[in-house]
Amino acid sequence: HLVYGARKAAGVNLPLLTGAARQMALLAVLKENSEDLTLFGRSAAQKNFAAALLQSIDELAAWQITPQMLKEAAERLGGEGGGLQKKLYDLSLIYGSYEAFCADSYLDPAAELQFLAREIAGGYLEGTTCYIDGFATFSPLELSVIAALGHSCQKLEIALALEPELLNKKAIMATEMFFPLWQTARRLRQALADCNWLKPLLLTQKPVPRFKNQTELAFVEENLFPLYGGQKYAGEPQNIFLTSAPDRNAEIEYIAAQIKKLVRTRNWRYRDIALICRNLGDYQKQIKQVFTGCELPFFIDEQQAAYFHPLIEALRAALEIAEEGWQQQAVFRYLKSGAAGLSAYTLSLHDALPIC
């Protein structure tokens, strides 16, 4: 909303390219430059190539690497660069052509951040207070926006989940857990070097407020990844325990039994219970099988591509039917999406029909 307001105030009404529109634009660029590509010529027509290429372009833009810089790097490698030299040349050609395509007609998300930095530096947010929270790292492009905020806003507050004793250290090991956040703090100081810095507010309260009634969890939070050696818990833990299982299936079965016990004996509600895994994908199959078999209601919190959503699939199939006629594949995709209200048994009968 802030970027949109800045664009409107500046009289910039270029449409913003997002999602599929960006891929379509890049596909047009690839087609236009297909004969000049030395390495990507054959890959350009492959499925998902444009999406992967857009990801690379976004990363290059975020780190303020220009097409000219890629071209110069390719020239320095010369003929001895082999595949790397060809890749850099093709990237510079595609990246530059994509920028030229968007130049006066469209606004790319990377260009939007550059535009925002310029508008903020021009006084768009002068006299305001800005808060930044929830970030561990910032790209150079994002740092340029933060630098503009620091010079324009009346007050800028940035929260980092960094151990207080590391804040003023001149160097720490790159293998330390908090190294990325320590590095981010250094980069913020450099980007905002000429701003008036207030004394950092260090949240050193022990235990942290969310664990004030859970001393055992507070102890684990403080000592699970200690900087200078952990401590031993005084007393016998009552609410935290370790157990082992021969395999994942047995592990989930044990958890299901514990959940049923908590609901039955302590009057807990299912919504009060959370199962947290390091890697949910490793346990997802077992959770679905065991919890369904135990009749435990559950919800798996995971991101799914909208491409596979039944409603999206129904809309895509319907549009394909309207555009290409009643092609069998499109019709069956629409029926299987659930929009037609047919039962699984009826759909299985349709699948068994001979193709004429």
Side-chain angles (χ1 to χ4, degrees), residues 237 239-245 254:
N239 300 299
I240 298 177
F241 61 91
L242 298 175
T243 188
S244 61
Y254 174 79

Side-chain angles (χ1 to χ4, degrees), residues 329-344:
Q329 187 177 5
V331 172
F332 273 98
R333 277 175 39 223
Y334 179 82
L335 294 176
K336 290 180 179 180
S337 70
L342 299 179
S343 66

Side-chain angles (χ1 to χ4, degrees), residues 32 65 127 129 137 165 183 191 241 245 249 256 262 292 336 347 355:
E32 183 180 347
I65 298 174
T129 300
T137 59
E165 53 263 42
Q183 193 175 47
F241 61 91
N249 205 62
L262 289 171
T292 301
K336 290 180 179 180
L347 288 173
I355 300 175

Side-chain angles (χ1 to χ4, degrees), residues 160-211:
L160 290 177
L162 178 65
E163 285 289 337
E165 53 263 42
L166 297 178
L167 188 60
N168 295 316
K169 278 188 172 291
K170 294 183 178 180
I172 66 172
M173 296 291 291
T175 54
E176 287 208 29
M177 178 182 178
F178 290 100
F179 176 78
L181 287 157
W182 173 83
Q183 193 175 47
T184 297
R186 284 177 60 87
R187 288 174 176 168
L188 285 171
R189 286 185 179 276
Q190 292 170 359
L192 302 168
D194 53 347
C195 295
N196 296 321
W197 281 77
L198 300 176
K199 184 179 179 181
L201 176 62
L202 305 179
L203 304 179
T204 56
Q205 180 181 344
K206 300 292 181 181
V208 293
R210 67 179 180 274
F211 294 141

